[in-house]
Amino acid sequence: MGSEEWTRQRKDNHKEVERRRRGNINEGINELGRIVPSGSGEKSKGAILSRAVQYIHHLKENEARNIEKWTLEKLLMDQAMSEIQAQLEEIRRLWETERVARIDLESQLKEVRGENTQVGQKRGPPADDDQGEPEKRQRTE
């Protein structure tokens, strides 16, 4: 291969590489033109790139606002959850107190019923008179 032939081959290779590079750039710009909202409808590469930059800034500002909003919402949600958790613990405490009081009252009731049963057994059944009616006690005043 001669020097001229080698130089020409090199130039042709360079042209092909540049053609592919420009094609990739144009494809990217065209894709941006399809993705980015078009206010003016201008199709020039410069306008598309300018709109893309504006749109990216707009998205970043929205993202920052959303992050701030979500952070505040999360803080409020965490606070509400803490309050609900505290209320739940208070209800559990009250429930346990009531449960213990109920058990204590049931125990006392059993004791009272047990004493009444024992007292009734000691006295026996009421005495009957000759006619089959229980004796009636007279009041003393």
Side-chain angles (χ1 to χ4, degrees):
M1 215 190 268
S3 172
E4 283 182 31
E5 208 175 306
W6 182 77
T7 304
R8 179 180 281 306
Q9 184 66 37
R10 224 175 117 201
K11 283 183 182 181
D12 289 344
N13 286 343
H14 179 69
K15 286 178 186 178
E16 183 59 32
V17 168
E18 276 299 307
R19 191 174 303 122
R20 280 190 298 232
R21 187 182 70 80
R22 284 191 308 273
N24 288 337
I25 290 171
N26 287 333
E27 284 178 29
I29 291 172
N30 290 335
E31 183 69 19
L32 282 173
R34 286 189 290 275
I35 293 173
V36 175
S38 175
S40 64
E42 193 174 343
K43 301 278 186 193
S44 72
K45 293 176 187 177
I48 291 172
L49 291 173
S50 178
R51 280 195 336 259
V53 168
Q54 289 173 354
Y55 188 61
I56 290 169
H57 284 301
H58 171 75
L59 291 175
K60 286 178 123 180
E61 289 169 4
N62 281 350
E63 180 185 32
R65 277 194 300 271
N66 286 337
I67 288 172
E68 185 177 329
K69 178 181 145 189
W70 295 332
T71 301
L72 179 60
E73 286 176 356
K74 184 183 182 312
L75 179 66
L76 292 173
M77 186 65 69
D78 289 346
Q79 190 176 23
M81 287 296 290
S82 293
E83 290 173 6
I84 290 170
Q85 187 68 32
Q87 290 173 358
L88 177 62
E89 292 302 319
E90 177 65 13
I91 289 170
R92 283 181 176 159
R93 187 188 63 74
L94 290 170
W95 182 83
E96 182 62 21
T97 302
E98 292 296 321
R99 187 184 72 78
V100 168
R102 181 181 50 82
I103 290 171
D104 186 44
L105 288 172
E106 286 174 349
S107 174
Q108 290 175 14
L109 182 61
K110 285 180 183 177
E111 287 177 16
V112 167
R113 285 181 178 165
E115 287 175 10
N116 284 345
T117 303
Q118 290 173 359
V119 168
Q121 288 173 354
K122 288 179 183 175
R123 281 195 309 168
D128 288 343
D129 61 4
D130 295 339
Q131 298 168 354
E133 291 185 18
E135 284 186 39
K136 295 186 180 176
R137 296 184 191 154
Q138 293 182 345
R139 274 194 221 168
T140 54
E141 296 181 24

